Amino acid sequence: MSPTPQQRRAARHQLDPSAPAARRGPSGRRKKPITVEAIISTAFDIVEKEGYEALTMRRVAAALETGPSSLYAHVVNKEDLDELLIGRLCAEIELPAPDPATWRRQLIDVCTQLRDQYLRYPGISQAAFAAAPSNLDTLRVSEGMLAILLAGGVDPQTAAWTIDALTLYVNAHSLEVSLAARRSDEAWVRSRDEMLNRFAALPDTFPQTKRYAAELTAGTTHDRFAFTLGLMLDGLPGQPSLA
Amino acid sequence: MSPTPQQRRAARHQLDPSAPAARRGPSGRRKKPITVEAIISTAFDIVEKEGYEALTMRRVAAALETGPSSLYAHVVNKEDLDELLIGRLCAEIELPAPDPATWRRQLIDVCTQLRDQYLRYPGISQAAFAAAPSNLDTLRVSEGMLAILLAGGVDPQTAAWTIDALTLYVNAHSLEVSLAARRSDEAWVRSRDEMLNRFAALPDTFPQTKRYAAELTAGTTHDRFAFTLGLMLDGLPGQPSLA
DNA sequence: TTCTACTTACGAACAGCGTTCGTGTCAATG
DNA sequence: CATTGACACGAACGCTGTTCGTAAGTAGAA
């Protein structure tokens, strides 16, 4: 009995990642035999070049020079493929050894790595929302964040919920940036001028928005990202960070 | 020349919301003539009962006892419909008169209203991500939030970016809760027990996660929501709130 | 009244999506 | 050689958003 894709998934979710299930002889029947690995990597290629919205089963199959049905022997679902992508993405994250002296900086670094990965594959954070948090790779990241927070002297309950808040925000921010970038490929300043004009033309029922239009449109997306992370971490009652 | 849906949309985006453009005689040709209003309200019905994923043009058309093409005379797009829904949703938000003594509480109230609306129509926050921020109704909400923050003594730049962070988080939180609820309709405790078991069975490479499994799975979604809002607002260098 | 102009409604169709089914094809085994 | 089992894949189903051509009915003009 050959493993059904469901069994493959179950194996992936297995909590003890031992027994790599030695791949059968590389039956070189096909020049490039379809493997989960091949599917994942071509999927990443597509998302990187054309965005997450372009990631369809048919598109992946076409890139692999086959029909869509061929994928379902290796992957349960599109949803499953999404989860694999997110897992792979999280696996790339480098987790530092927790250092009580610089825990805030460390946490920000991890979040920034995540954001960069999400933005490298625009729109993929959409998949991160749906991905089950039981995935081993995502769990590895949150384990790392938890370790950093605990090393920083944050109490466990606060740390746990802070991780939730952080990952949720990173996801959302990345998604928004991706969507906004897709909406207008032009430089951002152009969009900012447009925004300023709109705000200036607003009726008087929007006094504050008109008055502080400059502040509302100020800063790059990176600035806003750093600001929000600071907002969440600075209020944290932990050991004061040196950096 | 009758207004094309594009023109209708432009009119909606118009910055001065005057001249209600007196509706033409209610040519009662149809028992229930299709109007933008009718489309919006049936769309809300569908989302409320079956979730955002069930909101399709055909589904709306069927509920209106017509074909899908009939909708495109009143609505540009599905995307346009989404924006209308988000706009309507934001219009329901009650904005308090800013009170410097209770500004944090007021802000939390507004965010909670938003969350409750999003959760009432599960999954609709997905549309909120894509919605252009130039929409008048969403702008009204952020104007209200800005006023509250300024009244609280928060400096304008910080206030502007805080609004961004807050709305983004509220959206993301609502979306996650909606998705999680759809995944398993069963009571949450069941899912929590499952989570605890999984964590307990984790290999030793996840020491913190195993150790603090209780904290990681503690609290309702409401608890986490309140926690994160507090995280963002308590660190804010503004006038200390009485409440 | 009759004719025209115009708005609104809608059936049919197109291209694309995720997914399933039945069948074909090859390698290794009995 | 024959059989088995894993893998690949063409074709199809039901769904999606959207467009097009056309019909129906009202409003105004001649």
Side-chain angles (χ1 to χ4, degrees), chain A residues 192-225:
Chain A
R192 200 205 153 170
D193 283 348
E194 228 175 86
M195 204 79 105
L196 280 175
N197 285 338
R198 274 178 187 273
F199 283 172
L202 240 35
D204 292 342
T205 29
F206 296 82
Q208 316 295 350
T209 305
K210 297 186 70 163
R211 184 149 159 54
Y212 297 105
E215 282 83 359
L216 285 167
T217 59
T220 66
T221 56
H222 283 45
D223 292 334
R224 286 161 187 261
F225 183 75

Short mmCIF file of all heavy atoms in Angstrom, two decimals, chain A residues 192-225:
data_model
loop_
_atom_site.label_atom_id
_atom_site.label_comp_id
_atom_site.label_asym_id
_atom_site.label_seq_id
_atom_site.Cartn_x
_atom_site.Cartn_y
_atom_site.Cartn_z
N ARG A 192 1.47 58.67 -2.06
CA ARG A 192 1.37 59.53 -0.88
C ARG A 192 0.84 60.91 -1.25
O ARG A 192 0.01 61.47 -0.54
CB ARG A 192 2.74 59.66 -0.22
CG ARG A 192 2.61 60.11 1.22
CD ARG A 192 3.85 60.81 1.74
NE ARG A 192 3.46 61.74 2.78
CZ ARG A 192 4.32 62.36 3.56
NH1 ARG A 192 5.61 62.15 3.44
NH2 ARG A 192 3.89 63.19 4.47
N ASP A 193 1.33 61.43 -2.36
CA ASP A 193 0.81 62.72 -2.81
C ASP A 193 -0.68 62.63 -3.08
O ASP A 193 -1.46 63.51 -2.68
CB ASP A 193 1.55 63.16 -4.08
CG ASP A 193 2.93 63.70 -3.75
OD1 ASP A 193 3.19 63.94 -2.55
OD2 ASP A 193 3.74 63.88 -4.68
N GLU A 194 -1.06 61.56 -3.72
CA GLU A 194 -2.47 61.35 -4.00
C GLU A 194 -3.27 61.37 -2.70
O GLU A 194 -4.30 62.03 -2.58
CB GLU A 194 -2.65 60.00 -4.68
CG GLU A 194 -3.52 60.04 -5.92
CD GLU A 194 -3.54 58.70 -6.60
OE1 GLU A 194 -4.36 57.85 -6.22
OE2 GLU A 194 -2.71 58.51 -7.49
N MET A 195 -2.75 60.66 -1.71
CA MET A 195 -3.41 60.59 -0.42
C MET A 195 -3.53 61.98 0.20
O MET A 195 -4.59 62.35 0.72
CB MET A 195 -2.56 59.69 0.50
CG MET A 195 -3.34 59.07 1.62
SD MET A 195 -4.30 57.65 1.06
CE MET A 195 -3.32 56.33 1.73
N LEU A 196 -2.47 62.72 0.13
CA LEU A 196 -2.50 64.07 0.70
C LEU A 196 -3.56 64.93 0.02
O LEU A 196 -4.29 65.67 0.69
CB LEU A 196 -1.11 64.72 0.57
CG LEU A 196 -0.09 64.29 1.62
CD1 LEU A 196 1.29 64.87 1.32
CD2 LEU A 196 -0.54 64.71 3.01
N ASN A 197 -3.63 64.82 -1.28
CA ASN A 197 -4.64 65.59 -2.01
C ASN A 197 -6.05 65.20 -1.57
O ASN A 197 -6.90 66.05 -1.33
CB ASN A 197 -4.48 65.36 -3.52
CG ASN A 197 -3.29 66.11 -4.07
OD1 ASN A 197 -2.84 67.10 -3.47
ND2 ASN A 197 -2.77 65.66 -5.20
N ARG A 198 -6.26 63.91 -1.46
CA ARG A 198 -7.57 63.44 -1.02
C ARG A 198 -7.92 63.99 0.36
O ARG A 198 -9.03 64.47 0.59
CB ARG A 198 -7.58 61.91 -0.94
CG ARG A 198 -7.91 61.25 -2.26
CD ARG A 198 -7.85 59.74 -2.09
NE ARG A 198 -8.01 59.07 -3.35
CZ ARG A 198 -9.20 58.75 -3.88
NH1 ARG A 198 -10.31 59.06 -3.24
NH2 ARG A 198 -9.27 58.15 -5.05
N PHE A 199 -6.96 63.89 1.25
CA PHE A 199 -7.21 64.36 2.60
C PHE A 199 -7.49 65.86 2.61
O PHE A 199 -8.36 66.34 3.35
CB PHE A 199 -6.01 64.05 3.50
CG PHE A 199 -5.95 62.61 3.92
CD1 PHE A 199 -4.85 62.11 4.60
CD2 PHE A 199 -7.00 61.74 3.65
CE1 PHE A 199 -4.80 60.78 4.99
CE2 PHE A 199 -6.96 60.42 4.03
CZ PHE A 199 -5.85 59.93 4.70
N ALA A 200 -6.75 66.57 1.77
CA ALA A 200 -6.93 68.03 1.73
C ALA A 200 -8.32 68.38 1.23
O ALA A 200 -8.92 69.39 1.65
CB ALA A 200 -5.86 68.65 0.84
N ALA A 201 -8.86 67.55 0.35
CA ALA A 201 -10.16 67.86 -0.25
C ALA A 201 -11.32 67.35 0.60
O ALA A 201 -12.48 67.48 0.21
CB ALA A 201 -10.23 67.24 -1.64
N LEU A 202 -11.00 66.79 1.75
CA LEU A 202 -12.04 66.21 2.60
C LEU A 202 -12.95 67.32 3.16
O LEU A 202 -12.51 68.44 3.37
CB LEU A 202 -11.35 65.48 3.75
CG LEU A 202 -11.59 63.98 3.94
CD1 LEU A 202 -11.76 63.27 2.62
CD2 LEU A 202 -10.45 63.37 4.72
N PRO A 203 -14.22 66.99 3.39
CA PRO A 203 -15.12 67.98 4.00
C PRO A 203 -14.72 68.25 5.45
O PRO A 203 -13.89 67.54 6.02
CB PRO A 203 -16.49 67.31 3.94
CG PRO A 203 -16.20 65.85 3.85
CD PRO A 203 -14.90 65.72 3.11
N ASP A 204 -15.34 69.27 6.02
CA ASP A 204 -14.92 69.71 7.35
C ASP A 204 -15.36 68.77 8.46
O ASP A 204 -15.06 69.00 9.64
CB ASP A 204 -15.46 71.12 7.62
CG ASP A 204 -14.77 72.13 6.71
OD1 ASP A 204 -13.70 71.79 6.18
OD2 ASP A 204 -15.31 73.24 6.54
N THR A 205 -16.06 67.72 8.09
CA THR A 205 -16.41 66.72 9.10
C THR A 205 -15.20 65.85 9.45
O THR A 205 -15.28 65.01 10.35
CB THR A 205 -17.54 65.81 8.58
OG1 THR A 205 -17.46 65.73 7.16
CG2 THR A 205 -18.89 66.36 8.98
N PHE A 206 -14.10 66.09 8.75
CA PHE A 206 -12.87 65.34 9.03
C PHE A 206 -11.75 66.29 9.45
O PHE A 206 -10.71 66.33 8.81
CB PHE A 206 -12.43 64.55 7.79
CG PHE A 206 -13.40 63.49 7.38
CD1 PHE A 206 -14.51 63.80 6.60
CD2 PHE A 206 -13.22 62.17 7.75
CE1 PHE A 206 -15.40 62.82 6.21
CE2 PHE A 206 -14.10 61.19 7.36
CZ PHE A 206 -15.21 61.51 6.59
N PRO A 207 -11.97 67.03 10.53
CA PRO A 207 -11.00 68.07 10.88
C PRO A 207 -9.62 67.51 11.21
O PRO A 207 -8.61 68.02 10.70
CB PRO A 207 -11.64 68.75 12.10
CG PRO A 207 -12.59 67.74 12.65
CD PRO A 207 -13.08 66.96 11.48
N GLN A 208 -9.58 66.49 12.03
CA GLN A 208 -8.28 65.97 12.46
C GLN A 208 -7.53 65.34 11.29
O GLN A 208 -6.32 65.51 11.14
CB GLN A 208 -8.45 64.92 13.56
CG GLN A 208 -9.45 65.29 14.64
CD GLN A 208 -9.01 66.50 15.46
OE1 GLN A 208 -7.89 66.95 15.34
NE2 GLN A 208 -9.91 67.02 16.28
N THR A 209 -8.26 64.61 10.48
CA THR A 209 -7.61 63.97 9.34
C THR A 209 -7.01 65.01 8.41
O THR A 209 -5.90 64.82 7.89
CB THR A 209 -8.64 63.10 8.57
OG1 THR A 209 -9.24 62.18 9.48
CG2 THR A 209 -7.98 62.34 7.44
N LYS A 210 -7.72 66.10 8.21
CA LYS A 210 -7.20 67.16 7.35
C LYS A 210 -5.98 67.83 8.00
O LYS A 210 -4.97 68.08 7.36
CB LYS A 210 -8.28 68.21 7.07
CG LYS A 210 -9.47 67.68 6.32
CD LYS A 210 -10.44 68.76 5.93
CE LYS A 210 -9.86 69.66 4.84
NZ LYS A 210 -10.91 70.47 4.18
N ARG A 211 -6.14 68.07 9.29
CA ARG A 211 -5.08 68.79 10.00
C ARG A 211 -3.79 67.97 10.05
O ARG A 211 -2.69 68.51 9.87
CB ARG A 211 -5.58 69.05 11.43
CG ARG A 211 -4.68 69.86 12.32
CD ARG A 211 -5.57 70.67 13.30
NE ARG A 211 -4.89 71.12 14.52
CZ ARG A 211 -3.77 71.83 14.54
NH1 ARG A 211 -3.15 72.11 13.42
NH2 ARG A 211 -3.26 72.22 15.70
N TYR A 212 -3.92 66.70 10.28
CA TYR A 212 -2.73 65.88 10.46
C TYR A 212 -2.50 64.93 9.28
O TYR A 212 -2.02 63.80 9.45
CB TYR A 212 -2.83 65.09 11.77
CG TYR A 212 -2.89 66.00 12.97
CD1 TYR A 212 -4.07 66.21 13.66
CD2 TYR A 212 -1.75 66.69 13.39
CE1 TYR A 212 -4.13 67.06 14.76
CE2 TYR A 212 -1.80 67.56 14.48
CZ TYR A 212 -2.99 67.74 15.16
OH TYR A 212 -3.04 68.59 16.23
N ALA A 213 -2.86 65.40 8.12
CA ALA A 213 -2.67 64.57 6.92
C ALA A 213 -1.21 64.19 6.75
O ALA A 213 -0.88 63.06 6.36
CB ALA A 213 -3.17 65.31 5.69
N ALA A 214 -0.34 65.10 7.07
CA ALA A 214 1.09 64.83 6.93
C ALA A 214 1.50 63.65 7.80
O ALA A 214 2.16 62.71 7.34
CB ALA A 214 1.90 66.06 7.30
N GLU A 215 1.08 63.68 9.05
CA GLU A 215 1.44 62.60 9.97
C GLU A 215 0.80 61.28 9.53
O GLU A 215 1.42 60.21 9.63
CB GLU A 215 0.99 62.93 11.39
CG GLU A 215 1.88 63.90 12.12
CD GLU A 215 1.57 65.34 11.76
OE1 GLU A 215 0.67 65.56 10.92
OE2 GLU A 215 2.21 66.25 12.30
N LEU A 216 -0.43 61.36 9.07
CA LEU A 216 -1.14 60.14 8.70
C LEU A 216 -0.48 59.43 7.52
O LEU A 216 -0.56 58.20 7.39
CB LEU A 216 -2.60 60.45 8.36
CG LEU A 216 -3.49 60.75 9.57
CD1 LEU A 216 -4.81 61.36 9.12
CD2 LEU A 216 -3.74 59.48 10.37
N THR A 217 0.14 60.20 6.66
CA THR A 217 0.74 59.59 5.48
C THR A 217 2.26 59.47 5.60
O THR A 217 2.92 59.05 4.65
CB THR A 217 0.41 60.43 4.23
OG1 THR A 217 0.92 61.76 4.43
CG2 THR A 217 -1.07 60.51 3.99
N ALA A 218 2.78 59.84 6.74
CA ALA A 218 4.25 59.85 6.91
C ALA A 218 4.79 58.44 7.11
O ALA A 218 4.09 57.54 7.58
CB ALA A 218 4.62 60.73 8.10
N GLY A 219 6.04 58.31 6.75
CA GLY A 219 6.75 57.07 7.07
C GLY A 219 6.59 55.99 6.03
O GLY A 219 5.57 55.89 5.35
N THR A 220 7.62 55.17 5.93
CA THR A 220 7.54 54.02 5.04
C THR A 220 6.84 52.89 5.78
O THR A 220 6.56 52.98 6.97
CB THR A 220 8.96 53.56 4.65
OG1 THR A 220 9.61 53.07 5.82
CG2 THR A 220 9.75 54.71 4.09
N THR A 221 6.57 51.84 5.04
CA THR A 221 5.95 50.69 5.69
C THR A 221 6.90 50.12 6.75
O THR A 221 6.44 49.63 7.78
CB THR A 221 5.63 49.61 4.65
OG1 THR A 221 6.83 49.28 3.94
CG2 THR A 221 4.59 50.12 3.66
N HIS A 222 8.18 50.23 6.48
CA HIS A 222 9.15 49.72 7.45
C HIS A 222 9.08 50.53 8.74
O HIS A 222 9.17 49.98 9.84
CB HIS A 222 10.56 49.78 6.87
CG HIS A 222 10.84 48.69 5.90
ND1 HIS A 222 9.94 48.33 4.90
CD2 HIS A 222 11.89 47.86 5.76
CE1 HIS A 222 10.45 47.33 4.21
NE2 HIS A 222 11.62 47.02 4.68
N ASP A 223 8.93 51.83 8.60
CA ASP A 223 8.80 52.68 9.78
C ASP A 223 7.61 52.25 10.63
O ASP A 223 7.71 52.12 11.86
CB ASP A 223 8.63 54.14 9.36
CG ASP A 223 9.87 54.70 8.70
OD1 ASP A 223 10.97 54.18 9.01
OD2 ASP A 223 9.77 55.64 7.89
N ARG A 224 6.51 52.04 9.95
CA ARG A 224 5.31 51.67 10.68
C ARG A 224 5.47 50.31 11.36
O ARG A 224 5.01 50.10 12.48
CB ARG A 224 4.11 51.62 9.73
CG ARG A 224 3.64 53.01 9.32
CD ARG A 224 2.80 52.99 8.07
NE ARG A 224 2.51 54.35 7.62
CZ ARG A 224 1.36 54.97 7.88
NH1 ARG A 224 0.40 54.36 8.52
NH2 ARG A 224 1.17 56.21 7.47
N PHE A 225 6.12 49.42 10.66
CA PHE A 225 6.37 48.10 11.23
C PHE A 225 7.19 48.22 12.52
O PHE A 225 6.81 47.68 13.56
CB PHE A 225 7.12 47.25 10.20
CG PHE A 225 7.37 45.84 10.61
CD1 PHE A 225 6.35 44.91 10.61
CD2 PHE A 225 8.64 45.43 10.98
CE1 PHE A 225 6.58 43.60 10.98
CE2 PHE A 225 8.88 44.12 11.35
CZ PHE A 225 7.85 43.20 11.36
#
